[in-house]
Amino acid sequence: AIFDRKDDYLYIKWAKAVKNRDFHCCQICGIVGGNLHSHHLNAWNSYPEQRYEITNGVTLCSDCHDRFHEVYGKGDNTEEQYIEFERINSAIAKTSSKKIQVEKLR
């Protein structure tokens, strides 16, 4: 049988706790609700001792989560990669949301 994290009670509890802490808000683009993921800052496979630490998680929408893994790959990810991704993408998200707000005003 293949192990599925979705069958792991501690994982489910961790994922919900991360989303609750982040008020069900993507920490990159700011979207609230929808298809949100709890992303491990230090990877599940490389840092087993941190798997269920809430401080090792961050809430991302599916689009931002997919984009992160497109850039950095899957597995062996680190908190440093996330910090870099957040720095670059938060600036982009804030700029584009301001453009949208300006367009709504016109």
Side-chain angles (χ1 to χ4, degrees):
I2 295 171
F3 173 75
D4 186 350
R5 284 187 238 175
K6 290 176 180 62
D7 296 329
D8 180 344
Y9 170 76
L10 292 175
Y11 172 77
I12 293 165
K13 187 176 168 185
W14 171 85
K16 285 181 181 178
V18 169
K19 289 174 190 145
N20 286 337
R21 183 205 58 211
D22 293 340
F23 302 100
H24 296 267
C25 177
C26 176
Q27 298 302 293
I28 298 295
C29 71
I31 196 166
V32 177
N35 188 8
L36 299 174
H37 300 187
S38 296
H39 169 75
H40 282 91
L41 296 171
N42 290 314
W44 170 274
N45 66 320
S46 306
Y47 299 87
E49 71 285 357
Q50 295 181 32
R51 285 179 180 171
Y52 306 115
E53 290 180 16
I54 296 166
T55 56
N56 186 38
V58 64
T59 303
L60 300 176
C61 70
S62 60
D63 289 343
C64 288
H65 196 215
D66 289 346
R67 206 163 46 248
F68 174 88
H69 287 297
E70 283 170 16
V71 175
Y72 298 100
K74 285 196 172 188
D76 301 319
N77 299 120
T78 65
E79 185 173 3
E80 288 75 21
Q81 290 173 333
Y82 173 76
I83 291 167
E84 178 181 78
F85 180 79
E86 180 185 44
R87 192 179 69 244
I88 295 165
N89 288 277
S90 293
I92 294 167
K94 286 174 185 152
T95 302
S96 61
S97 68
K98 285 178 185 166
K99 285 180 188 169
I100 292 166
Q101 289 169 0
V102 169
E103 287 171 15
K104 286 180 182 175
L105 293 172
R106 289 183 182 161

